PDB file of all heavy atoms in Angstrom:
ATOM      1  N   ASP A 366     113.196 169.296  44.478  1.00 94.00           N
ATOM      2  CA  ASP A 366     111.859 168.915  44.034  1.00 94.00           C
ATOM      3  C   ASP A 366     111.866 167.407  43.780  1.00 94.00           C
ATOM      4  O   ASP A 366     112.163 166.939  42.671  1.00 94.00           O
ATOM      5  CB  ASP A 366     111.485 169.685  42.771  1.00 94.00           C
ATOM      6  CG  ASP A 366     110.012 169.497  42.385  1.00 94.00           C
ATOM      7  OD1 ASP A 366     109.394 168.544  42.893  1.00 94.00           O
ATOM      8  OD2 ASP A 366     109.497 170.300  41.589  1.00 94.00           O
ATOM      9  N   LEU A 367     111.532 166.640  44.796  1.00 95.00           N
ATOM     10  CA  LEU A 367     111.620 165.182  44.707  1.00 95.00           C
ATOM     11  C   LEU A 367     110.651 164.615  43.682  1.00 95.00           C
ATOM     12  O   LEU A 367     110.984 163.674  42.949  1.00 95.00           O
ATOM     13  CB  LEU A 367     111.364 164.566  46.087  1.00 95.00           C
ATOM     14  CG  LEU A 367     111.449 163.043  46.187  1.00 95.00           C
ATOM     15  CD1 LEU A 367     112.835 162.548  45.768  1.00 95.00           C
ATOM     16  CD2 LEU A 367     111.113 162.571  47.595  1.00 95.00           C
ATOM     17  N   THR A 368     109.450 165.167  43.606  1.00 94.00           N
ATOM     18  CA  THR A 368     108.452 164.659  42.670  1.00 94.00           C
ATOM     19  C   THR A 368     108.950 164.769  41.231  1.00 94.00           C
ATOM     20  O   THR A 368     108.854 163.806  40.454  1.00 94.00           O
ATOM     21  CB  THR A 368     107.129 165.435  42.819  1.00 94.00           C
ATOM     22  OG1 THR A 368     106.710 165.397  44.175  1.00 94.00           O
ATOM     23  CG2 THR A 368     106.044 164.833  41.946  1.00 94.00           C
ATOM     24  N   ALA A 369     109.493 165.923  40.881  1.00 93.00           N
ATOM     25  CA  ALA A 369     110.004 166.129  39.520  1.00 93.00           C
ATOM     26  C   ALA A 369     111.176 165.203  39.230  1.00 93.00           C
ATOM     27  O   ALA A 369     111.279 164.623  38.136  1.00 93.00           O
ATOM     28  CB  ALA A 369     110.423 167.587  39.343  1.00 93.00           C
ATOM     29  N   ASP A 370     112.055 165.042  40.189  1.00 95.00           N
ATOM     30  CA  ASP A 370     113.225 164.184  39.978  1.00 95.00           C
ATOM     31  C   ASP A 370     112.835 162.724  39.814  1.00 95.00           C
ATOM     32  O   ASP A 370     113.420 161.996  38.995  1.00 95.00           O
ATOM     33  CB  ASP A 370     114.198 164.325  41.160  1.00 95.00           C
ATOM     34  CG  ASP A 370     115.000 165.624  41.096  1.00 95.00           C
ATOM     35  OD1 ASP A 370     114.779 166.410  40.151  1.00 95.00           O
ATOM     36  OD2 ASP A 370     115.830 165.845  41.996  1.00 95.00           O
ATOM     37  N   LEU A 371     111.842 162.272  40.591  1.00 95.00           N
ATOM     38  CA  LEU A 371     111.432 160.871  40.499  1.00 95.00           C
ATOM     39  C   LEU A 371     110.773 160.562  39.158  1.00 95.00           C
ATOM     40  O   LEU A 371     110.863 159.432  38.659  1.00 95.00           O
ATOM     41  CB  LEU A 371     110.475 160.524  41.644  1.00 95.00           C
ATOM     42  CG  LEU A 371     111.098 160.411  43.046  1.00 95.00           C
ATOM     43  CD1 LEU A 371     110.019 160.124  44.093  1.00 95.00           C
ATOM     44  CD2 LEU A 371     112.162 159.322  43.088  1.00 95.00           C
ATOM     45  N   LYS A 372     110.105 161.556  38.568  1.00 94.00           N
ATOM     46  CA  LYS A 372     109.492 161.344  37.256  1.00 94.00           C
ATOM     47  C   LYS A 372     110.556 161.062  36.196  1.00 94.00           C
ATOM     48  O   LYS A 372     110.324 160.312  35.247  1.00 94.00           O
ATOM     49  CB  LYS A 372     108.670 162.568  36.856  1.00 94.00           C
ATOM     50  CG  LYS A 372     107.341 162.685  37.597  1.00 94.00           C
ATOM     51  CD  LYS A 372     106.541 163.877  37.096  1.00 94.00           C
ATOM     52  CE  LYS A 372     105.187 163.947  37.796  1.00 94.00           C
ATOM     53  NZ  LYS A 372     104.377 165.104  37.324  1.00 94.00           N
ATOM     54  N   GLN A 373     111.723 161.669  36.372  1.00 94.00           N
ATOM     55  CA  GLN A 373     112.803 161.497  35.410  1.00 94.00           C
ATOM     56  C   GLN A 373     113.709 160.313  35.753  1.00 94.00           C
ATOM     57  O   GLN A 373     114.546 159.917  34.935  1.00 94.00           O
ATOM     58  CB  GLN A 373     113.652 162.779  35.361  1.00 94.00           C
ATOM     59  CG  GLN A 373     112.869 164.044  35.036  1.00 94.00           C
ATOM     60  CD  GLN A 373     112.198 163.976  33.683  1.00 94.00           C
ATOM     61  OE1 GLN A 373     112.780 163.474  32.722  1.00 94.00           O
ATOM     62  NE2 GLN A 373     110.966 164.469  33.591  1.00 94.00           N
ATOM     63  N   GLN A 374     113.552 159.781  36.962  1.00 94.00           N
ATOM     64  CA  GLN A 374     114.449 158.734  37.434  1.00 94.00           C
ATOM     65  C   GLN A 374     114.214 157.411  36.701  1.00 94.00           C
ATOM     66  O   GLN A 374     113.084 156.950  36.571  1.00 94.00           O
ATOM     67  CB  GLN A 374     114.260 158.516  38.941  1.00 94.00           C
ATOM     68  CG  GLN A 374     115.163 157.459  39.547  1.00 94.00           C
ATOM     69  CD  GLN A 374     116.616 157.866  39.525  1.00 94.00           C
ATOM     70  OE1 GLN A 374     116.970 158.959  39.963  1.00 94.00           O
ATOM     71  NE2 GLN A 374     117.465 156.997  38.999  1.00 94.00           N
ATOM     72  N   ILE A 375     115.292 156.813  36.243  1.00 92.00           N
ATOM     73  CA  ILE A 375     115.223 155.481  35.641  1.00 92.00           C
ATOM     74  C   ILE A 375     115.590 154.467  36.716  1.00 92.00           C
ATOM     75  O   ILE A 375     116.697 154.499  37.261  1.00 92.00           O
ATOM     76  CB  ILE A 375     116.202 155.361  34.455  1.00 92.00           C
ATOM     77  CG1 ILE A 375     115.831 156.382  33.371  1.00 92.00           C
ATOM     78  CG2 ILE A 375     116.191 153.935  33.896  1.00 92.00           C
ATOM     79  CD1 ILE A 375     116.812 156.417  32.213  1.00 92.00           C
ATOM     80  N   PRO A 376     114.650 153.591  37.089  1.00 90.00           N
ATOM     81  CA  PRO A 376     114.937 152.656  38.186  1.00 90.00           C
ATOM     82  C   PRO A 376     115.977 151.616  37.804  1.00 90.00           C
ATOM     83  O   PRO A 376     116.015 151.139  36.676  1.00 90.00           O
ATOM     84  CB  PRO A 376     113.578 152.011  38.450  1.00 90.00           C
ATOM     85  CG  PRO A 376     112.847 152.126  37.160  1.00 90.00           C
ATOM     86  CD  PRO A 376     113.304 153.408  36.527  1.00 90.00           C
ATOM     87  N   GLN A 377     116.826 151.275  38.773  1.00 90.00           N
ATOM     88  CA  GLN A 377     117.811 150.214  38.592  1.00 90.00           C
ATOM     89  C   GLN A 377     117.284 148.927  39.214  1.00 90.00           C
ATOM     90  O   GLN A 377     116.327 148.930  39.984  1.00 90.00           O
ATOM     91  CB  GLN A 377     119.133 150.590  39.275  1.00 90.00           C
ATOM     92  CG  GLN A 377     119.827 151.807  38.717  1.00 90.00           C
ATOM     93  CD  GLN A 377     121.112 152.100  39.491  1.00 90.00           C
ATOM     94  OE1 GLN A 377     121.603 151.260  40.239  1.00 90.00           O
ATOM     95  NE2 GLN A 377     121.638 153.296  39.312  1.00 90.00           N
ATOM     96  N   ASN A 378     117.956 147.849  38.903  1.00 91.00           N
ATOM     97  CA  ASN A 378     117.666 146.588  39.572  1.00 91.00           C
ATOM     98  C   ASN A 378     118.342 146.626  40.941  1.00 91.00           C
ATOM     99  O   ASN A 378     119.578 146.623  41.036  1.00 91.00           O
ATOM    100  CB  ASN A 378     118.193 145.418  38.742  1.00 91.00           C
ATOM    101  CG  ASN A 378     117.784 144.078  39.328  1.00 91.00           C
ATOM    102  OD1 ASN A 378     117.442 143.978  40.506  1.00 91.00           O
ATOM    103  ND2 ASN A 378     117.822 143.044  38.506  1.00 91.00           N
ATOM    104  N   LEU A 379     117.543 146.677  41.998  1.00 94.00           N
ATOM    105  CA  LEU A 379     118.086 146.822  43.355  1.00 94.00           C
ATOM    106  C   LEU A 379     118.221 145.485  44.080  1.00 94.00           C
ATOM    107  O   LEU A 379     118.428 145.453  45.297  1.00 94.00           O
ATOM    108  CB  LEU A 379     117.176 147.756  44.169  1.00 94.00           C
ATOM    109  CG  LEU A 379     116.997 149.178  43.621  1.00 94.00           C
ATOM    110  CD1 LEU A 379     115.986 149.945  44.471  1.00 94.00           C
ATOM    111  CD2 LEU A 379     118.327 149.909  43.579  1.00 94.00           C
ATOM    112  N   GLN A 380     118.133 144.381  43.329  1.00 95.00           N
ATOM    113  CA  GLN A 380     118.102 143.071  43.960  1.00 95.00           C
ATOM    114  C   GLN A 380     119.320 142.800  44.832  1.00 95.00           C
ATOM    115  O   GLN A 380     119.204 142.243  45.930  1.00 95.00           O
ATOM    116  CB  GLN A 380     117.991 141.982  42.897  1.00 95.00           C
ATOM    117  CG  GLN A 380     117.577 140.617  43.441  1.00 95.00           C
ATOM    118  CD  GLN A 380     116.189 140.642  44.069  1.00 95.00           C
ATOM    119  OE1 GLN A 380     115.297 141.332  43.589  1.00 95.00           O
ATOM    120  NE2 GLN A 380     116.024 139.906  45.162  1.00 95.00           N
ATOM    121  N   VAL A 381     120.484 143.229  44.380  1.00 95.00           N
ATOM    122  CA  VAL A 381     121.699 142.969  45.155  1.00 95.00           C
ATOM    123  C   VAL A 381     121.659 143.678  46.500  1.00 95.00           C
ATOM    124  O   VAL A 381     122.136 143.154  47.520  1.00 95.00           O
ATOM    125  CB  VAL A 381     122.955 143.395  44.346  1.00 95.00           C
ATOM    126  CG1 VAL A 381     122.957 144.910  44.096  1.00 95.00           C
ATOM    127  CG2 VAL A 381     124.224 142.975  45.088  1.00 95.00           C
ATOM    128  N   TYR A 382     121.050 144.863  46.547  1.00 95.00           N
ATOM    129  CA  TYR A 382     120.925 145.605  47.807  1.00 95.00           C
ATOM    130  C   TYR A 382     119.846 144.987  48.696  1.00 95.00           C
ATOM    131  O   TYR A 382     119.998 144.917  49.921  1.00 95.00           O
ATOM    132  CB  TYR A 382     120.598 147.072  47.525  1.00 95.00           C
ATOM    133  CG  TYR A 382     121.657 147.775  46.719  1.00 95.00           C
ATOM    134  CD1 TYR A 382     121.526 147.921  45.337  1.00 95.00           C
ATOM    135  CD2 TYR A 382     122.804 148.294  47.333  1.00 95.00           C
ATOM    136  CE1 TYR A 382     122.496 148.564  44.592  1.00 95.00           C
ATOM    137  CE2 TYR A 382     123.785 148.945  46.590  1.00 95.00           C
ATOM    138  CZ  TYR A 382     123.626 149.071  45.217  1.00 95.00           C
ATOM    139  OH  TYR A 382     124.593 149.698  44.494  1.00 95.00           O
ATOM    140  N   ILE A 383     118.758 144.550  48.069  1.00 96.00           N
ATOM    141  CA  ILE A 383     117.666 143.927  48.827  1.00 96.00           C
ATOM    142  C   ILE A 383     118.150 142.651  49.511  1.00 96.00           C
ATOM    143  O   ILE A 383     117.799 142.371  50.662  1.00 96.00           O
ATOM    144  CB  ILE A 383     116.463 143.636  47.905  1.00 96.00           C
ATOM    145  CG1 ILE A 383     115.846 144.956  47.413  1.00 96.00           C
ATOM    146  CG2 ILE A 383     115.401 142.798  48.623  1.00 96.00           C
ATOM    147  CD1 ILE A 383     114.754 144.776  46.370  1.00 96.00           C
ATOM    148  N   GLU A 384     118.968 141.871  48.811  1.00 94.00           N
ATOM    149  CA  GLU A 384     119.469 140.618  49.382  1.00 94.00           C
ATOM    150  C   GLU A 384     120.376 140.872  50.582  1.00 94.00           C
ATOM    151  O   GLU A 384     120.548 139.995  51.435  1.00 94.00           O
ATOM    152  CB  GLU A 384     120.221 139.823  48.315  1.00 94.00           C
ATOM    153  CG  GLU A 384     119.360 139.348  47.152  1.00 94.00           C
ATOM    154  CD  GLU A 384     118.254 138.395  47.592  1.00 94.00           C
ATOM    155  OE1 GLU A 384     118.412 137.731  48.641  1.00 94.00           O
ATOM    156  OE2 GLU A 384     117.227 138.308  46.890  1.00 94.00           O
ATOM    157  N   GLN A 385     120.965 142.048  50.655  1.00 94.00           N
ATOM    158  CA  GLN A 385     121.843 142.376  51.786  1.00 94.00           C
ATOM    159  C   GLN A 385     121.055 142.736  53.045  1.00 94.00           C
ATOM    160  O   GLN A 385     121.606 142.748  54.143  1.00 94.00           O
ATOM    161  CB  GLN A 385     122.764 143.546  51.411  1.00 94.00           C
ATOM    162  CG  GLN A 385     123.799 143.204  50.356  1.00 94.00           C
ATOM    163  CD  GLN A 385     124.595 144.421  49.919  1.00 94.00           C
ATOM    164  OE1 GLN A 385     124.392 145.535  50.425  1.00 94.00           O
ATOM    165  NE2 GLN A 385     125.499 144.231  48.966  1.00 94.00           N
ATOM    166  N   CYS A 386     119.766 143.048  52.892  1.00 94.00           N
ATOM    167  CA  CYS A 386     118.935 143.443  54.031  1.00 94.00           C
ATOM    168  C   CYS A 386     118.476 142.200  54.785  1.00 94.00           C
ATOM    169  O   CYS A 386     117.947 141.263  54.192  1.00 94.00           O
ATOM    170  CB  CYS A 386     117.717 144.238  53.550  1.00 94.00           C
ATOM    171  SG  CYS A 386     118.141 145.800  52.749  1.00 94.00           S
ATOM    172  N   LYS A 387     118.669 142.194  56.090  1.00 92.00           N
ATOM    173  CA  LYS A 387     118.353 141.045  56.925  1.00 92.00           C
ATOM    174  C   LYS A 387     117.148 141.336  57.822  1.00 92.00           C
ATOM    175  O   LYS A 387     116.820 142.486  58.094  1.00 92.00           O
ATOM    176  CB  LYS A 387     119.558 140.672  57.789  1.00 92.00           C
ATOM    177  CG  LYS A 387     120.831 140.420  56.983  1.00 92.00           C
ATOM    178  CD  LYS A 387     120.642 139.323  55.956  1.00 92.00           C
ATOM    179  CE  LYS A 387     121.903 139.099  55.131  1.00 92.00           C
ATOM    180  NZ  LYS A 387     121.687 138.137  54.020  1.00 92.00           N
ATOM    181  N   PRO A 388     116.485 140.272  58.307  1.00 92.00           N
ATOM    182  CA  PRO A 388     115.293 140.458  59.145  1.00 92.00           C
ATOM    183  C   PRO A 388     115.525 141.318  60.384  1.00 92.00           C
ATOM    184  O   PRO A 388     114.621 142.048  60.802  1.00 92.00           O
ATOM    185  CB  PRO A 388     114.921 139.017  59.532  1.00 92.00           C
ATOM    186  CG  PRO A 388     115.441 138.182  58.420  1.00 92.00           C
ATOM    187  CD  PRO A 388     116.715 138.848  57.994  1.00 92.00           C
ATOM    188  N   LYS A 389     116.714 141.242  60.976  1.00 92.00           N
ATOM    189  CA  LYS A 389     116.966 141.989  62.210  1.00 92.00           C
ATOM    190  C   LYS A 389     117.552 143.380  61.972  1.00 92.00           C
ATOM    191  O   LYS A 389     117.877 144.088  62.918  1.00 92.00           O
ATOM    192  CB  LYS A 389     117.872 141.176  63.135  1.00 92.00           C
ATOM    193  CG  LYS A 389     117.194 139.908  63.653  1.00 92.00           C
ATOM    194  CD  LYS A 389     118.038 139.173  64.681  1.00 92.00           C
ATOM    195  CE  LYS A 389     117.306 137.941  65.194  1.00 92.00           C
ATOM    196  NZ  LYS A 389     118.086 137.202  66.215  1.00 92.00           N
ATOM    197  N   ASP A 390     117.658 143.782  60.703  1.00 94.00           N
ATOM    198  CA  ASP A 390     118.094 145.149  60.388  1.00 94.00           C
ATOM    199  C   ASP A 390     116.995 146.135  60.748  1.00 94.00           C
ATOM    200  O   ASP A 390     115.801 145.838  60.586  1.00 94.00           O
ATOM    201  CB  ASP A 390     118.416 145.287  58.896  1.00 94.00           C
ATOM    202  CG  ASP A 390     119.691 144.554  58.503  1.00 94.00           C
ATOM    203  OD1 ASP A 390     120.439 144.140  59.413  1.00 94.00           O
ATOM    204  OD2 ASP A 390     119.925 144.387  57.289  1.00 94.00           O
ATOM    205  N   THR A 391     117.389 147.312  61.203  1.00 95.00           N
ATOM    206  CA  THR A 391     116.405 148.350  61.531  1.00 95.00           C
ATOM    207  C   THR A 391     115.732 148.844  60.256  1.00 95.00           C
ATOM    208  O   THR A 391     116.398 149.204  59.284  1.00 95.00           O
ATOM    209  CB  THR A 391     117.064 149.524  62.264  1.00 95.00           C
ATOM    210  OG1 THR A 391     117.674 149.040  63.466  1.00 95.00           O
ATOM    211  CG2 THR A 391     116.039 150.589  62.624  1.00 95.00           C
ATOM    212  N   LEU A 392     114.412 148.843  60.264  1.00 97.00           N
ATOM    213  CA  LEU A 392     113.618 149.273  59.114  1.00 97.00           C
ATOM    214  C   LEU A 392     113.105 150.692  59.299  1.00 97.00           C
ATOM    215  O   LEU A 392     113.239 151.551  58.409  1.00 97.00           O
ATOM    216  CB  LEU A 392     112.441 148.312  58.931  1.00 97.00           C
ATOM    217  CG  LEU A 392     111.404 148.653  57.864  1.00 97.00           C
ATOM    218  CD1 LEU A 392     112.011 148.501  56.476  1.00 97.00           C
ATOM    219  CD2 LEU A 392     110.171 147.751  58.002  1.00 97.00           C
ATOM    220  N   LEU A 393     112.495 150.955  60.466  1.00 96.00           N
ATOM    221  CA  LEU A 393     111.851 152.243  60.736  1.00 96.00           C
ATOM    222  C   LEU A 393     112.140 152.694  62.162  1.00 96.00           C
ATOM    223  O   LEU A 393     112.461 151.887  63.031  1.00 96.00           O
ATOM    224  CB  LEU A 393     110.329 152.122  60.571  1.00 96.00           C
ATOM    225  CG  LEU A 393     109.762 151.632  59.238  1.00 96.00           C
ATOM    226  CD1 LEU A 393     108.279 151.330  59.400  1.00 96.00           C
ATOM    227  CD2 LEU A 393     109.989 152.656  58.151  1.00 96.00           C
TER     228      LEU A 393
END
Side-chain angles (χ1 to χ4, degrees):
D366 189 343
L367 181 59
T368 306
D370 283 1
L371 288 177
K372 285 183 177 180
Q373 304 299 320
Q374 181 67 51
I375 299 175
Q377 297 179 15
N378 186 340
L379 300 176
Q380 196 63 37
V381 64
Y382 299 97
I383 294 173
E384 295 298 335
Q385 292 174 1
C386 297
K387 305 302 179 186
K389 293 186 178 181
D390 289 348
T391 301
L392 174 69
L393 303 169

